[in-house]
Amino acid sequence: MVYKLDPTSNSLVSSPIDGVLLLDKPIGLSSNYALTCAKRLLKVKKAGHTGTLDPLASGLLPLCFGEATKFSQNLLHANKTYDATLKLGVSTTTDDAEGEVLKTRPVTCDRIAVHSALMAFRGPIMQVPPMYSALKRNGKPLYVYARAGHTLEREARSVTIYALECITCVLGAVASITIRITCSKGTYIRALARDIGEILGCGAHLAMLRRTSVGELSLTDAVTLNRLSNLDRQQRLSYLQPIDALLSKFELINLDNEMAKRFINGQRLRLANKPSVSENDRVKVYNSDKNRLIGIGRWQSGVLFPERLLSTFRYY
């Protein structure tokens, strides 16, 4: 359905430096440093990422440039998928390979026990965050207390593991398992590794982590910094995906030029026909005549309310 008023010859223009770069972040770089490197390569000033990856982790890091930064919050709440390798028999202070060894125990479990342990973590679970985390207590991150040798009580939080499967299982003197996890926002994979190790009775820590998807975005479409550094700027910009890549779960409402002009000027629109959305749903809004995203809105009581608008689009 395209909602129309009077025809208009007005047009829209946009900046070419608005979009989403799917970066394959290497191990050893912080998310902020990777973002800085990408900004320099693309020569873009306004940029942000959609949730950090620890330096120990590699994989998909969506970076937003220009107007796309207005919509980066949408991915902070998206489900994420990881491939993680757990080293069995060794517990560490940080629940990953960067920490000091706390305890070593023999690995006596078999493959059946491993698969049984994983089943216990599928679905909604309560998870105690690691001490080495950025969660704050009295204004200080927990890792500050941990580095000072203090362990604080942490309240378990509800998270959801939508999928959890064993990819490889190596048992013996040097035991490890590689698992694939799809989980909700706020899930600590380090804590998951710790808890799986405790159920197995041998302890474990996270040895490797690679993020393969964020929401509908996939690592298969990502590019490395090394690859970008070997291209000229125009070739680098060709890797930018449209802002709409951040909004794939949003229902679409099309407006003609005149309605789009009103919407982008902040006016609420009462539409003649109800779109196929539920009350209070957020929607992506297009100028159908130009086939361009102009912002997102919220549908309430038969009225489309502007919520976030693309300021790079202007009528002349």
Side-chain angles (χ1 to χ4, degrees):
M1 173 76 63
V2 177
Y3 299 94
K4 295 184 176 182
L5 286 179
D6 295 333
T8 176
S9 60
N10 293 331
S11 61
L12 295 166
V13 296
S14 66
S15 165
I17 318 299
D18 301 314
V20 182
L21 179 72
L22 303 185
L23 184 69
D24 184 352
K25 187 189 84 67
I27 293 173
L29 295 188
S30 71
S31 295
N32 284 334
Y33 185 76
L35 174 63
T36 299
C37 292
K39 283 174 63 178
R40 289 174 179 168
L41 288 170
L42 272 66
K43 299 180 181 177
V44 179
K45 291 183 179 180
K46 187 178 180 181
H49 55 66
T50 58
T52 60
L53 268 179
D54 289 342
L56 176 69
S58 68
L60 182 60
L61 181 66
L63 304 179
C64 298
F65 297 102
E67 290 291 279
T69 58
K70 292 182 176 181
F71 307 96
S72 61
Q73 288 289 110
N74 296 307
L75 284 192
L76 291 177
H77 302 282
N79 298 336
K80 299 172 179 64
T81 300
Y82 300 89
D83 286 349
T85 298
L86 284 54
K87 184 174 182 180
L88 305 182
V90 182
S91 304
T92 71
T93 53
T94 58
D95 300 325
D96 63 21
E98 294 186 327
E100 298 177 4
V101 174
L102 279 176
K103 191 175 183 179
T104 60
R105 285 176 272 180
V107 180
T108 58
C109 59
D110 57 17
R111 293 173 184 270
I112 294 175
V114 169
H115 286 280
S116 177
L118 297 185
M119 287 181 64
F121 291 94
R122 294 181 182 132
I125 63 170
M126 299 302 291
Q127 186 181 73
V128 177
M131 268 303 298
Y132 281 85
S133 67
L135 293 176
K136 291 188 176 181
R137 181 76 60 82
N138 298 325
K140 293 182 181 179
L142 288 180
Y143 64 75
V144 173
Y145 295 99
R147 289 171 181 170
H150 303 298
T151 300
L152 306 182
E153 290 292 324
R154 286 99 65 206
E155 185 177 346
R157 307 190 308 172
S158 177
V159 297
T160 301
I161 309 299
Y162 297 103
L164 177 58
E165 60 179 317
C166 184
I167 305 302
T168 62
C169 180
V170 178
L171 301 176
V174 180
S176 67
I177 59 173
T178 297
I179 57 178
R180 182 163 295 152
I181 314 110
T182 299
C183 56
S184 65
K185 172 185 180 293
T187 304
Y188 284 93
I189 308 301
R190 287 181 289 134
L192 186 63
R194 173 199 68 202
D195 295 343
I196 290 172
E198 291 307 311
I199 280 193
L200 291 173
C202 58
H205 68 267
L206 182 65
M208 184 281 295
L209 183 66
R210 184 160 176 77
R211 188 158 69 189
T212 59
S213 73
V214 177
E216 300 299 308
L217 304 178
S218 172
L219 182 62
T220 57
D221 300 316
V223 63
T224 65
L225 287 171
N226 283 341
R227 170 64 178 161
L228 288 178
S229 66
N230 291 321
L231 303 174
D232 62 36
R233 184 168 182 266
Q234 283 305 117
Q235 290 172 319
R236 293 166 187 165
L237 290 174
S238 70
Y239 279 95
L240 284 182
Q241 299 203 15
I243 297 172
D244 204 4
L246 301 173
L247 307 173
S248 59
K249 289 287 189 180
F250 285 43
E251 292 294 331
L252 170 66
I253 288 184
N254 277 309
L255 303 176
D256 77 333
N257 257 354
E258 186 61 29
M259 292 281 270
K261 181 178 180 180
R262 292 187 178 190
F263 182 82
I264 209 166
N265 285 331
Q267 294 183 29
R268 302 170 183 179
L269 303 177
R270 184 170 293 278
L271 306 182
N273 299 291
K274 181 183 182 301
S276 57
V277 294
S278 301
E279 181 69 13
N280 209 39
D281 271 0
R282 298 169 79 200
V283 296
K284 58 186 176 184
V285 181
Y286 262 63
N287 178 313
S288 63
D289 296 344
K290 304 300 178 183
N291 193 29
R292 289 180 176 175
L293 178 73
I294 58 175
I296 61 175
R298 191 175 295 274
W299 176 257
Q300 292 179 332
S301 303
V303 176
L304 179 62
F305 290 76
E307 194 165 280
R308 286 188 179 274
L309 305 172
L310 293 180
S311 59
T312 50
F313 292 101
R314 290 290 182 266
Y315 286 85
Y316 292 90

